[in-house]
Each structure stands twice: as C-alpha cells, then as structure tokens.
C-alpha cells in the first residue's frame, strides 16, 4: 500500500505513525502542516456513545484562571472561554466569545470587542460586557505572585460600554494585546460565583467554554461534558471527555496499551516515543508535530554565586545541549540556543554564536578573568512531576557535564510542582529549571514574561534596554514580521546577561488508539489540546 500525504491549512507540521497501516520516515519538520494519509482521517463519522479518555502527566495547579500562568491552561481552554482564541490552523487570534474585535485607533492603544448575542455561562447566567470587565479586573486585583497579571502590563482600564461592547484602553501601544486576550488566563468568569478579591478554592468551577467540569479529583481525573449554552468557534466532535492525570509516562502508556485511556497528550517519555516509532504496537498510532515549547535554566541574582556574570557565562560555555537532546531525550527534542524558538520571527542562535562548542578551557578562562579560581558550588533545582519523566535524568546530565569540567561542585534538589513554584517565587533556588509553553505564538511571549520586576519567574530582571526600548518599539508594529531587528537585539541582551540559559525545544507527540481521530488537529499554537477535536471512529 502506498501512503500519500494529505495537505491541510495551518502552520503546524504533523507526522502520523500508524503501525497497522504505514510509517512515515523521520524527516525535518517543515513549516507547513503535513498529515500522513493512512486512514487516520477517513471514517464514517464520530461515535459519541462514550467519553474519550485522555491521559496526561500535566495536572492543573489551580482551577481559577486568575491564579495560573502554567499548564493549568490545558484544562481552562476546554471549560472556560476567552474573547479571542485559535481555531484549528490559525496563528493569529480569532473571535471566540467575541463576535468581533479590533483596534479602533492608529496607535494600537484602544482595542474594542463586541460579544456574540445571547451569551450565557454554563449555569444559564448572562455573560455580558460587565462579566468580561469583571474577569480582567479581577486578575489585576488578586495579583497572584508570578500569575497572569504580568500579561496585562500594557492595560490601563477596561470599560463595559453597553451589554455587548468592551473597550480596552492601553497605557502604551501594544500590537500583541489581542494575543494576550486569547490566552486562557483571560478566561471569562461569572461575577456571581467568583470573588473579586480572592481565588476560588473548590472544584465546582464553570465558565462558558465548550465543556462543563462535571467532576474533578485533584491529581487524578477531570470529567468534562458538553456545555449546552456554549456559543463559540469550537465544533465539538464528542459529547464528553475524561482526563486522567498520571505521575509518569510508563504508567500512562501502559494504560493506553491496556485500553484504560484512548489518547495521551502531554508527558510521553522519550523512550516511549522511540518505542512507538520503531516497534509500534497493535491498534496504536503516534502523531508528531512541531512545537514552540522550550526548556531553560534560570539563575537567581539573590544567590551569591549565581549572581556573578562570570559564573553564569561559564555554565553557558560548558553545557552541551546536543548531548542532552541525544543522551537524555533520544533526539525527540532539539538543542536551543536562544529563548525565542525556531519557527518564530527573529529566532537567533545567540548562545552558539557567542560561546561556540562546549569548552571547559574557555569556561576556566572566563572564571579566572573574574578572579574565581576555586570550584564553584551551585545547587540546581528541578520539579519532579511537571516536565516529563526525563527531567531528573536531564539534571543528572547537567551535573555530570559541569563537574566533569573540574570547575563546579553541583548539588541537585527536586520538589513536586506545587511546592516547587512556591520556592522559586520566594527566590529560594540558586539555579532552577523551567519549561515554557507559549501564551501566544509571537517572539514577544518568549522575552516579555521573563523580564521586568514582576515576571513569570519570581526573580526580578530589570533589563531596561528590553523593557523600556525594544519591547515598546516592537509593540507599536502591527505587522509582526517587521520586528526582527528588535527581537534579535533583545535576544543578544539575554545572551550577554546569561540570566536565562535555553536548553532545548520540544516537539509534540500524541499517542492514541487506532479508533481515535482528531489528534493531528487538537493541538493549538500554544501546545494546548482542544479536546473537542477528538472523536472515536465508527468504522474505517
């Protein structure tokens, strides 16, 4: 049988490995979407008789949008609604709860949205302009440390003009503001059920999204059912989804093989991916897509050693990204030499350009020039249950590389994500690992969240050239392809400071049973699974 590629619109490239039918050979991922036409998209329609069961190793840290700037957005996108979002194939925000949105001035400072008519929350309460204003104001009022209020730095005020019209007045030009409104943190909540000054702690949450959260067990499962009041762009191809949360990839994949789940969408370990690619399994398929997810190290300037530029630059000179990608991740990730990943406007290879290949001799000279002749003690922290099963192994590899240079003594420490977040927000860690899935597909989102006094890392990083010059200049430009110069300069500042050290750029993998379709369409530009795209085929 010959497998011919089928093309469809969108920016994400996808490969499907279906072991019962065909195998697309591994190849460089192109910028246009490709789906292997091996029966994955051909069926007689969806079977909605039972829920789709999805597995992931990424459990929410909170159910309240005002608290989260992390992977909790996976759930938010499916139960809450934002004014704008990303329909399949879109890389710029499109109307969702809104009927239309646009800048009404020439300076990108006044943004106006009009809601769809007759909008309601899942419980039947009216969703109007006041609810939108309340939701955005609430984020800023609660102002969770390291939370989504950091996305709203350019917002001056929100006005509910009438029942359906909302005006956002900005304190400076910001062409990226529509992208901010499309982030799940900007989810619209019911003012009658969400306090203006405190977070909601219970699990009886709801919004106006495609699904309602029927039940929730923290760290175990979330049951989603269709929201009968939903109005938006999503065309739901199933009636219900159950999400099961796993501690590790091996347990999740076993559940997939045993039929306990139908799909995995985050947390597949490299060994499991490679096994599926090479050996396959009866009745399983693997979808691979490009991704803007990145992994990086953060140096805390409050630590006496991490505060020294020479120490940070010496680490940057030693770290072997290619070894991490190959030895730890089995080439399921790619080395990254800039905080802006490949595929986005302005991506550079700044760390490679400045430091070249890993070299202990060059690192020794960097330290000696700064008067440092002793072994540098550093403690590296990582989360034990967030970024995949290889995280501990990755940090062991970093420890091996740094200590093999003879220049460092490394101590490793790990914590579960919930307590890990609290620790880095308090500035407890000298050096710590983070992952980043974009809030929106623009280079701004790989620089702005990490700089300034209030940022996503809990470690103030003033970077005045970036925050006062380069970012404001870039945000005046509506044509995002025209901001290459600003972001190249911003990335060079990050290289010079070496406060953030990019390590690798991920890929997206979805493993599914053979009777499931929609995996290749279910991942939006922020690497969030839109559960409504999944469905069970009734026949081939």
């Amino acid at each position: 049988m010959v497998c011919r590629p089928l093309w469809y619109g969108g920016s994400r490239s996808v490969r499907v490995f279906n072991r019962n039918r065909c195998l697309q050979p591994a190849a460089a991922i192109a910028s246009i979407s490709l789906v292997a036409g091996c029966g994955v998209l051909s069926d007689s329609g969806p079977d909605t008789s039972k829920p789709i069961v999805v597995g992931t190793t990424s459990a929410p840290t909170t159910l309240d949008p005002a608290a989260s700037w992390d992977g909790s957005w996976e759930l938010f996108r499916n139960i809450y609604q934002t004014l704008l979002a990303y329909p399949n194939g879109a890389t710029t925000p499109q109307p969702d709860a809104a009927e239309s949105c646009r800048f009404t001035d020439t300076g990108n400072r006044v943004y106006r949205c009009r809601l769809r008519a007759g909008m309601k929350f899942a419980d039947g309460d009216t969703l109007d302009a006041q609810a939108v204003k309340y939701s955005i104001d609430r984020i800023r009022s609660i102002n969770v440390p390291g939370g989504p209020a950091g996305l709203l730095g350019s917002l001056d005020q929100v006005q509910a003009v009438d029942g359906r019209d909302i005006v956002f007045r900005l304190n400076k030009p910001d062409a990226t503001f529509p992208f901010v409104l499309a982030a799940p943190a900007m989810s619209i909540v019911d003012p009658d059920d969400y306090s203006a000054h405190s977070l909601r702690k219970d699990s009886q949450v709801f919004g106006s999204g495609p699904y309602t959260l029927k039940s929730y067990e923290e760290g175990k499962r979330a049951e989603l059912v269709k929201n009968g009041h939903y109005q938006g762009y999503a065309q739901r191809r199933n009636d219900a989804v159950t999400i099961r949360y796993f501690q590790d990839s091996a347990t999740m994949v076993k559940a997939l093989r045993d039929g306990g789940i139908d799909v995995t969408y985050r947390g597949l370990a490299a060994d499991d991916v490679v096994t599926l690619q090479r050996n396959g399994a009866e009745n399983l398929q693997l979808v691979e897509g490009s991704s803007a997810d990145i992994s990086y190290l953060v140096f805390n300037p409050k630590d006496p050693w991490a505060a020294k530029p020479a120490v940070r630059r010496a680490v940057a000179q030693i770290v072997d990204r290619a070894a991490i990608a190959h030895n730890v991740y089995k080439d399921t990730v790619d080395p990254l030499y800039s905080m802006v990943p490949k595929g986005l406007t302005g991506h550079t290879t700044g760390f490679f350009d400045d430091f070249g290949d890993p070299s202990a001799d060059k690192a020794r000279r960097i330290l000696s020039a700064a008067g440092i002749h002793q072994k540098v003690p550093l403690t590296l922290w990582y989360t034990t249950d967030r970024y995949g099963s290889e995280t501990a192994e990755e940090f062991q590899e970093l420890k091996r590389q740094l200590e093999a240079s003879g220049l460092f003594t490394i101590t490793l420490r790990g914590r579960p994500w919930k307590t890990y977040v609290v620790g880095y927000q308090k500035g407890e860690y000298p050096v710590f690992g983070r992952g980043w899935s974009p809030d929106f597909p623009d280079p701004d989102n790989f620089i702005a969240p990490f700089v300034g006094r209030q940022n996503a890392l809990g470690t103030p990083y003033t970077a005045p050239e970036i925050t006062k010059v380069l970012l404001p200049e870039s945000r005046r430009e509506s044509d995002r392809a025209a901001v290459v110069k600003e972001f190249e300069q911003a990335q060079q500042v990050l290289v010079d400071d070496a406060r953030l050290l990019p390590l690798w750029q991920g890929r997206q993998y979805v493993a599914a049973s053979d009777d499931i379709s929609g995996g290749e369409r279910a991942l939006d530009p922020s690497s969030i699974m839109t559960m409504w795209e999944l469905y069970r085929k009734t026949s081939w």
Side-chain angles (χ1 to χ4, degrees):
M1 183 184 74
V2 177
C3 291
R4 296 182 175 87
L6 300 175
W7 297 89
Y8 75 99
S11 66
R12 205 169 37 251
S13 56
V14 179
R15 284 175 281 171
V16 177
F17 300 86
N18 190 320
R19 293 298 172 177
N20 290 336
R21 288 165 175 77
C22 66
L23 172 64
Q24 288 284 5
I29 296 177
S31 62
I32 189 166
S33 299
L34 173 63
V35 176
C38 311
V40 177
L41 301 179
S42 300
D43 60 87
S44 61
D47 174 7
T48 59
S49 60
K50 57 182 179 178
I52 304 290
V53 184
V54 181
T56 177
T57 61
S58 180
T61 57
T62 176
L63 299 182
D64 193 323
S68 172
W69 202 350
D70 62 18
S72 303
W73 290 10
E74 303 273 15
L75 184 59
F76 294 175
R77 178 63 79 198
N78 291 277
I79 63 174
Y80 294 107
Q81 196 173 19
T82 45
L83 289 170
L84 301 162
Y86 299 97
N88 184 265
T91 56
T92 56
Q94 306 296 318
D96 185 10
E99 178 181 275
S100 62
C101 289
R102 65 186 180 91
F103 280 107
T104 59
D105 65 333
T106 58
N108 294 332
R109 293 187 60 162
V110 182
Y111 196 72
R112 188 181 185 107
C113 290
R114 183 169 178 79
L115 287 169
R116 297 174 187 263
M119 290 291 293
K120 293 182 179 180
F121 290 103
D123 66 348
D125 284 359
T126 298
L127 191 166
D128 56 14
Q130 283 291 343
V132 176
K133 171 179 167 56
Y134 181 91
S135 300
I136 303 298
D137 287 343
R138 179 175 180 266
I139 293 170
R140 297 201 293 176
S141 173
I142 296 175
N143 195 22
V144 172
L151 287 167
L152 295 170
S154 64
L155 179 62
D156 184 22
Q157 61 174 317
V158 188
Q159 295 174 304
V161 179
D162 53 34
R164 292 176 59 192
D165 291 282
I166 310 102
V167 173
F168 300 89
R169 299 192 181 277
L170 309 184
N171 51 40
K172 52 193 170 187
D174 187 359
T176 70
F177 190 71
F179 292 92
V180 172
L181 290 181
M186 303 300 131
S187 295
I188 305 165
V189 299
D190 190 337
D192 291 340
D193 295 285
Y194 289 75
S195 167
H197 305 292
S198 62
L199 297 174
R200 188 162 179 173
K201 301 295 186 181
D202 66 281
S203 61
Q204 306 301 311
V205 300
F206 61 90
S208 59
Y211 298 97
T212 295
L213 187 61
K214 179 181 177 182
S215 67
Y216 180 75
E217 294 178 74
E218 184 174 355
K220 294 183 178 180
R221 70 174 57 227
E223 294 186 14
L224 313 183
V225 296
K226 266 187 176 180
N227 172 12
H229 293 292
Y230 173 70
Q231 293 188 69
Y233 73 88
Q235 297 182 5
R236 294 165 292 188
R237 307 200 70 180
N238 60 67
D239 289 338
V241 173
T242 296
I243 304 172
R244 287 183 57 190
Y245 301 111
F246 293 85
Q247 291 298 311
D248 58 78
S249 174
T251 307
M252 181 169 66
V253 171
K254 184 179 186 302
L256 178 65
R257 292 179 184 274
D258 293 345
I261 61 175
D262 301 304
V263 189
T264 70
Y265 79 90
R266 189 177 287 275
L268 277 177
D271 285 340
D272 292 320
V273 170
V274 170
T275 298
L276 287 167
Q277 287 175 338
R278 289 178 179 171
N279 305 321
E282 285 298 315
N283 303 316
L284 292 184
Q285 56 180 303
L286 180 70
V287 179
E288 177 186 340
S290 58
S291 170
D293 288 2
I294 68 170
S295 177
Y296 58 99
L297 292 178
V298 182
F299 291 86
N300 185 352
K302 295 179 182 178
D303 178 78
W305 286 107
K308 298 179 184 296
V311 169
R312 302 195 298 263
R313 293 179 65 82
V315 173
Q317 183 63 72
I318 291 169
V319 168
D320 188 339
R321 296 166 176 82
I324 293 171
H326 181 71
N327 297 336
V328 178
Y329 290 97
K330 310 298 189 290
D331 299 314
T332 60
V333 303
D334 299 300
L336 183 64
Y337 298 92
S338 165
M339 289 299 289
V340 175
K342 291 174 287 187
L344 291 186
T345 299
H347 164 74
T348 70
T349 54
F351 276 91
F352 184 82
D353 298 341
D354 277 29
F355 294 96
D357 292 326
S359 171
D361 288 339
K362 289 181 180 178
R364 183 176 289 105
R365 290 197 291 269
I366 290 171
L367 292 172
S368 295
I372 301 172
H373 303 288
Q374 66 188 92
K375 282 190 177 182
V376 175
L378 283 178
T379 300
L380 274 57
W381 283 82
Y382 62 93
T383 178
T384 57
D385 60 353
R386 192 64 180 177
Y387 299 126
S389 304
E390 297 89 359
T391 304
E393 187 180 348
E394 175 185 354
F395 274 75
Q396 287 288 349
E397 173 65 13
L398 286 167
K399 172 183 170 72
R400 184 195 67 76
Q401 292 179 11
L402 292 169
E403 291 191 336
S405 72
L407 303 175
F408 290 90
T409 300
I410 302 299
T411 302
L412 298 181
R413 295 282 185 268
R415 281 180 179 172
W417 178 251
K418 274 200 168 184
T419 53
Y420 184 73
V421 172
V422 174
Y424 73 67
Q425 287 177 348
K426 290 182 177 179
E428 294 178 2
Y429 311 147
V431 185
F432 60 96
R434 278 295 311 265
W436 187 254
S437 296
D439 307 323
F440 49 85
D442 188 274
D444 186 285
N445 194 238
F446 288 88
I447 293 178
F450 311 131
V451 296
R453 295 195 175 279
Q454 183 182 32
N455 61 45
L457 303 173
T459 54
Y461 180 12
T462 52
E465 184 180 355
I466 295 177
T467 58
K468 295 182 179 180
V469 180
L470 297 173
L471 286 178
E473 285 180 358
S474 73
R475 289 172 176 175
R476 292 189 182 95
E477 180 56 67
S478 296
D479 179 3
R480 303 308 291 162
V483 294
V484 171
K485 180 186 72 173
E486 288 84 358
F487 285 108
E488 287 179 345
Q489 292 177 8
Q491 288 169 91
Q492 189 57 51
V493 171
L494 297 181
V495 172
D496 293 341
D497 291 345
R499 283 275 306 273
L500 308 170
L501 186 65
L503 297 174
W504 51 260
Q505 179 174 348
R507 304 174 195 170
Q508 297 185 86
Y509 294 94
V510 175
S513 61
D514 213 18
D515 66 337
I516 296 294
S517 263
E520 73 284 347
R521 293 175 57 87
L523 297 166
D524 83 351
S526 299
S527 305
I528 291 174
M529 180 168 275
T530 51
M531 302 294 179
W532 56 85
E533 295 284 4
L534 300 172
Y535 63 99
R536 198 182 311 276
K537 298 188 288 285
T538 54
S539 70
W540 289 99

